């Protein structure tokens, strides 16, 4: 049984450049057999190639962080924030809950340290945004949501034309709603499920404000790790959207024309981390960016690519209500799914197989 909550889409050092040997029917079979638990949308050169359950709302997990990255780039380009501003690590650590992010936040800080990017226990604001996307640091996410303004980030959903997107809220803080003794688990499940979306977000924001002031760490020390029933409610209530919406977000980034050049440049520096993880990608792609995420029950990925031949692909694939075995199976195949969506012949074959 997995104990960590915000499971990362784990990326190896060889991520994406080439597909590994696989059974091509594993994911296709799952999608065909589980229409309420899977969705896929692929756009090739502005033409929709695959759309399965395009408007089925599902929890986004960490894929939602793309929205924050876009608002970060917009505010940085407008001079509202300074990407070079030095941020104390202690300010970020206020929102870090040990063992709830798959080691993302400590891994990001170790990566910074190895590259001498930490100065007097501070990091550049741009590196905070990069850590949110590449490492999926939830602490960085909560900090940036506060820095940029939750209301401002949510207002950008309209600018991006995302009609099916739920408002964002502090998802680390949300965990405290489920921080109860085991004896109170069933009652808490019932109470939190009955909260309206507005009331739920308000409670999460109030907890965020407490964490922001928790300089001595006493409030955070009171955290009780939720059991799986509580984790399921937390996962179900994460901000949701559709594969159509997220493929459209990727298409906007990939077009190089939707955002002003200054915004695009900053956004590229945040989203196109796969080139740093695997330099071999430069031999295949001109542009390549993505953000995936997961919980114990959810697996998502949204990505874009432009090949050296000039083909542009934007896609999103979501899974929800997974069992542990299904999660393991699908997560192992995610790199290959991405490759197959990008490859013209492979994606066409997948579309044909899914249509049967």
């Amino acid at each position: 049984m997995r104990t960590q909550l915000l499971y990362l889409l784990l990326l190896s050092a060889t991520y994406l450049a080439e597909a590994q040997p696989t059974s091509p029917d594993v994911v296709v079979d799952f999608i065909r057999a589980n229409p309420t638990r899977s969705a896929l949308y692929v756009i090739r050169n502005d033409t929709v190639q695959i759309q399965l359950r395009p408007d089925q709302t599902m929890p986004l997990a960490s894929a939602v962080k793309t929205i924050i990255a876009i608002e970060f780039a917009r505010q940085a380009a407008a001079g509202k924030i300074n990407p070079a501003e030095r941020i104390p690590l202690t300010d970020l650590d206020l929102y870090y809950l040990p063992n709830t992010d798959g080691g993302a936040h400590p891994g990001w800080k170790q990566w910074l340290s190895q590259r001498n990017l930490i100065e007097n226990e501070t990091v550049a604001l741009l590196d905070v945004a990069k850590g949110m996307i590449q490492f999926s640091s939830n602490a960085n996410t909560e900090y940036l949501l506060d820095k940029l303004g939750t209301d401002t980030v949510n207002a950008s959903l309209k600018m991006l034309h995302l009609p099916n997107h739920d408002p964002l809220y502090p998802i680390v803080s949300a965990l405290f709603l489920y921080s109860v003794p085991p004896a109170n688990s069933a009652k808490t499940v019932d109470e939190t499920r009955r909260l309206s979306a507005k009331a739920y977000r308000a409670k999460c924001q109030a907890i965020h404000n407490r964490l922001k002031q928790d300089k001595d760490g006493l409030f955070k020390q009171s955290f009780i790790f939720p059991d799986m029933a509580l984790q399921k409610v937390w996962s179900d209530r994460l901000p949701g959207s559709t594969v159509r919406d997220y493929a459209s977000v990727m298409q906007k980034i990939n077009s190089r024309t939707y955002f002003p050049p200054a915004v695009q440049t900053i956004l590229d520096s945040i989203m196109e981390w796969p080139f740093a993880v695997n330099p071999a990608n430069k031999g295949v792609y001109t542009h390549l960016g993505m953000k995936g995420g997961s919980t114990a029950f959810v697996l998502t990925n949204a990505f874009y690519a432009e090949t050296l031949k000039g083909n542009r692909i934007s896609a999103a694939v979501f899974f929800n209500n997974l069992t542990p075995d299904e999660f393991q199976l699908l997560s192992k195949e995610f790199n290959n799914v991405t490759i197959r969506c990008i490859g013209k012949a492979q994606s066409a074959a997948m579309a044909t197989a899914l249509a049967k």
Side-chain angles (χ1 to χ4, degrees):
M1 179 182 295
R2 291 187 300 277
T3 57
Q4 290 170 331
L5 290 152
L6 280 184
Y7 246 66
L8 300 175
L9 175 59
L10 297 176
L11 305 170
S12 70
T14 58
Y15 191 75
L16 200 62
E18 296 181 356
Q20 302 300 313
T22 183
S23 170
D25 294 329
V26 169
V27 177
V28 170
D29 288 349
F30 183 89
I31 292 174
R32 291 174 63 186
N34 297 276
T36 64
R37 300 193 292 146
S38 57
L40 175 65
Y41 204 91
V42 180
I43 305 169
R44 175 178 293 278
N45 295 328
D46 300 322
T47 298
V48 178
Q49 187 169 26
I50 303 175
Q51 54 175 324
L52 294 169
R53 277 78 66 183
D55 300 315
Q56 182 169 286
T57 300
M58 304 173 99
L60 292 163
S62 290
V64 76
K65 297 170 183 177
T66 302
I67 304 301
I68 300 174
I70 291 171
E71 183 58 28
F72 180 97
R74 291 179 69 235
Q75 292 194 24
K80 294 180 180 179
I81 57 173
N82 177 9
E85 179 187 356
R86 304 301 298 185
I87 307 301
L89 287 171
T90 52
D91 288 359
L92 303 168
D93 291 343
L94 289 171
Y95 308 109
Y96 172 61
L97 288 178
N99 302 317
T100 63
D101 71 348
H105 191 62
W108 169 67
K109 292 201 294 184
Q110 182 180 24
W111 183 89
L112 291 173
S113 179
Q114 291 170 347
R115 287 158 181 77
N116 298 316
L117 295 174
I118 299 175
E119 299 176 6
N120 298 319
E121 295 302 305
T122 69
V123 295
L125 184 59
L126 179 60
D127 283 326
V128 176
K130 290 180 177 180
M132 173 184 67
I133 297 297
Q134 178 177 343
F135 287 85
S136 210
S137 166
N138 298 324
N140 290 13
T141 304
E142 193 129 336
Y143 175 85
L144 287 173
L145 193 60
D146 186 83
K147 178 82 171 178
L148 302 172
T150 303
D151 290 342
T152 303
V153 173
N154 283 327
S156 73
L157 298 175
K158 184 175 182 180
M159 178 274 296
L160 292 168
H161 304 291
L162 304 177
N164 301 303
H165 204 298
D166 292 335
L168 282 70
Y169 62 84
I171 58 177
V172 175
S173 297
L175 291 172
F176 277 86
L177 294 177
Y178 307 94
S179 175
V180 298
N184 296 340
S185 177
K187 178 182 178 183
T188 302
V189 165
D190 181 61
E191 290 176 346
T192 50
R193 283 198 186 279
R194 288 190 286 106
L195 282 172
S196 69
K198 183 177 181 180
Y200 188 87
R201 293 194 299 269
K203 284 181 175 290
C204 294
Q205 186 62 49
I207 293 169
H208 168 88
N209 293 338
R210 286 194 66 180
L211 283 174
K212 188 176 181 178
Q213 302 300 322
D214 190 37
K215 304 298 183 180
D216 58 10
L218 291 178
F219 175 59
K220 196 160 58 174
Q221 289 175 16
S222 69
F223 180 70
I224 300 173
F225 207 93
D227 63 27
M228 293 302 285
L230 291 166
Q231 290 185 42
K232 184 64 170 68
V233 184
W234 170 82
S235 178
D236 288 344
R237 300 211 64 160
L238 289 172
S241 190
T242 67
V243 287
R244 188 196 301 272
D245 274 359
Y246 266 69
S248 79
V249 170
M250 296 298 124
Q251 185 182 32
K252 289 176 175 67
I253 300 173
N254 205 18
S255 71
R256 338 300 307 167
T257 59
Y258 187 86
F259 299 105
V263 175
Q264 187 74 52
T265 297
I266 297 168
L267 196 52
D268 285 350
S269 73
I270 298 170
M271 294 296 298
E272 299 196 352
W273 57 267
F275 288 123
V277 171
N278 186 359
N281 283 319
K282 295 180 180 179
V284 184
Y285 308 104
T286 304
H287 294 285
L288 178 63
M290 65 184 65
K291 186 70 196 88
S294 56
T295 71
F297 315 95
V298 170
L299 191 59
T300 62
N301 196 18
F303 53 92
Y304 66 87
E306 181 179 339
T307 68
L308 294 180
K309 295 182 179 180
N311 290 308
R312 289 177 287 108
I313 301 90
S314 307
V317 55
F318 295 170
F319 298 104
N320 190 23
N321 294 319
L322 300 176
T323 68
D325 288 343
E326 289 169 343
F327 181 96
Q328 292 297 329
L329 176 68
L330 293 171
S331 61
K332 289 178 182 178
E333 294 295 330
F334 244 40
N335 190 52
N336 292 300
V337 170
T338 305
I339 290 290
R340 289 162 63 194
C341 287
I342 292 174
K344 183 176 182 181
Q346 289 174 302
S347 60
M350 184 161 57
T352 300
L354 287 166
K356 292 180 179 178

